[in-house]
Amino acid sequence: MKIFSIIVTYNGMKWIDWCLHSLRVSTIPITPIIIDNGSTDTTLEFISSHYPDAVILPMNSNLGFGQANNKGFEYALTHDATHVLLLNQDAALQPNTIQTLLAHDNGIQLLSPIHLNGKGTKIDRNFKVNTLIKGAINNSLLDDIYAARRSKNIYPVTYVNAACWLMPIEVVKKIGGFNPLFYHYSEDDNYLNRLQYHHIPVLVVTNAFIYHDREIHGSEKMYQKNKVFRRLLVCRTNINFNFAERIKQRYRIAFHTLGEAVSSHNIWLFINDWIWANCKLILIDKKIRYSRKQEKKIQSNWLPYNNSSLKI
């Protein structure tokens, strides 16, 4: 077994020792791959001096989350990895997290632990809402966690953010990397849609845990930027939707976004964002259609590995 943990860093000195130390004390050996998106603090110097076992791949520019992770995928694929662990720079494992996840690994599914807040005092708010409530296929998931009735330790979900994904390398070979149409945020939505299309389960393991030290979305300013466009892009690239379903979802996004604008008393911002987002979608329509065609195939999309894809 050879596990690489792909960690995308950007000015991560606040967390990087905490994050990497958790890998060092893991009961299962893990080799970190650091993809640095142009940090201007001392993140890289600290890693080099304190974690010499880490593979460091500095980028000349900020590639965003998805494309930086793709660099890590490429490294893992060409260095005989059996598994890759995507881990945020602001997250840390418990010592037995990976061992517990591997106990449920069958070689062709994505596994995630429960995400706690940074102090481990409660479940991360976004994880609770988006994964345990909205994304749970089995409605008893949240109740079982709170009641500590864990006779069933794995639950299928439709969504879990990529702060901690354990993926057998076979999944990466079949599905590939993150779609380059997504720069930051929502790339995990697209990836999960592709897993669903190709019948690869996404499971939460309820007796495995990580700590995720963030406030709501990590960077609220970055999250809000282009939010309407990202929602529409996720819909347009979703290969599970036919034309009618995409139109139906588009109206849902419009009403949801309008509701947010009304509640914030900023209706003009909604109009501007909606017009701008749709104009941008028109401009990249050819790329979106090409994306949908590619992602319906079983191959390493969006990775140069085996020359199996073309860059958008």
Side-chain angles (χ1 to χ4, degrees), residues 69-79 302-305 311:
N69 270 295
N70 284 358
K71 294 293 183 182
F73 283 144
E74 292 167 21
Y75 186 94
L77 284 163
T78 55
H79 287 79
W302 320 129
L303 298 174
Y305 182 70
K311 295 289 185 182

Side-chain angles (χ1 to χ4, degrees), residues 14-300:
K14 178 180 177 181
W15 306 284
I16 201 61
D17 187 38
W18 178 61
C19 176
L20 291 179
H21 179 74
S22 76
L23 296 181
R24 178 174 283 176
V25 301
S26 170
T27 57
I28 300 294
I30 305 170
T31 301
I33 305 174
I34 307 299
I35 315 296
D36 188 76
N37 269 339
S39 292
T40 56
D41 63 2
T42 58
T43 298
L44 289 184
E45 292 83 351
F46 181 87
I47 297 171
S48 296
S49 60
H50 290 79
Y51 295 93
D53 59 321
V55 177
I56 302 176
L57 302 176
M59 300 294 108
N60 295 325
S61 60
N62 192 332
L63 301 181
F65 180 80
Q67 296 314 291
N69 270 295
N70 284 358
K71 294 293 183 182
F73 283 144
E74 292 167 21
Y75 186 94
L77 284 163
T78 55
H79 287 79
D80 303 317
T82 60
H83 297 76
V84 291
L85 173 72
L86 303 192
L87 187 66
N88 274 20
Q89 66 174 2
D90 59 357
L93 308 174
Q94 292 185 349
N96 67 341
T97 299
I98 301 306
Q99 182 178 346
T100 305
L101 293 176
L102 287 172
H104 301 282
D105 174 42
N106 70 357
I108 192 65
Q109 58 196 15
L110 185 152
L111 297 167
S112 170
I114 299 293
H115 297 195
L116 304 175
N117 64 8
K119 295 180 180 179
T121 55
K122 57 184 178 180
I123 295 175
D124 173 75
R125 192 175 90 178
N126 274 12
F127 183 82
K128 176 182 175 181
V129 172
N130 295 323
T131 301
L132 303 185
I133 298 176
K134 294 181 181 178
I137 296 173
N138 186 322
N139 291 330
S140 66
L141 173 53
L142 188 59
D143 290 339
D144 278 6
I145 291 168
Y146 280 142
R149 298 194 303 268
R150 301 198 180 101
S151 57
K152 181 178 179 181
N153 290 326
I154 58 173
Y155 282 84
V157 295
T158 58
Y159 177 81
V160 59
N161 75 64
C164 185
W165 285 359
L166 181 65
M167 304 167 63
I169 202 66
E170 290 305 313
V171 172
V172 180
K173 288 179 179 178
K174 288 185 176 183
I175 303 301
F178 289 103
N179 190 320
L181 287 174
F182 295 88
Y183 176 71
H184 194 52
Y185 292 117
S186 298
E187 56 278 290
D188 47 0
D189 296 78
N190 170 265
Y191 203 93
L192 292 166
N193 289 336
R194 291 152 61 191
L195 291 173
Q196 178 186 347
Y197 181 86
H198 293 293
H199 308 291
I200 295 176
V202 178
L203 302 173
V204 166
V205 179
T206 61
N207 58 341
F209 300 89
I210 65 161
Y211 308 105
H212 194 180
D213 185 31
R214 64 170 176 178
E215 295 179 2
I216 308 180
H217 298 287
S219 172
E220 183 68 16
K221 182 178 179 180
M222 178 64 75
Y223 178 79
Q224 293 297 332
K225 185 179 181 181
N226 301 333
K227 183 169 66 174
V228 177
F229 170 72
R230 290 198 311 272
R231 288 174 175 172
L232 290 171
L233 183 59
V234 170
C235 173
R236 288 287 304 278
T237 57
N238 191 338
I239 54 178
N240 300 289
F241 288 169
N242 58 29
F243 179 76
E245 289 169 325
R246 292 202 303 273
I247 295 297
K248 183 178 180 180
Q249 186 64 22
R250 177 185 172 87
Y251 280 113
R252 287 180 178 174
I253 294 170
F255 283 120
H256 180 73
T257 306
L258 180 59
E260 290 181 338
V262 171
S263 64
S264 64
H265 306 289
N266 200 346
I267 190 68
W268 289 111
L269 180 61
F270 159 73
I271 294 172
N272 289 334
D273 285 352
W274 186 259
I275 293 173
W276 178 87
N278 280 277
C279 288
K280 188 171 181 179
L281 286 172
I282 292 171
L283 291 175
I284 64 171
D285 180 68
K286 185 177 180 180
K287 295 179 179 180
I288 293 171
R289 285 188 279 113
Y290 174 76
S291 164
R292 289 173 57 85
K293 181 179 178 180
Q294 286 296 106
E295 291 179 352
K296 288 182 178 180
K297 302 175 183 178
I298 287 287
Q299 61 178 29
S300 292

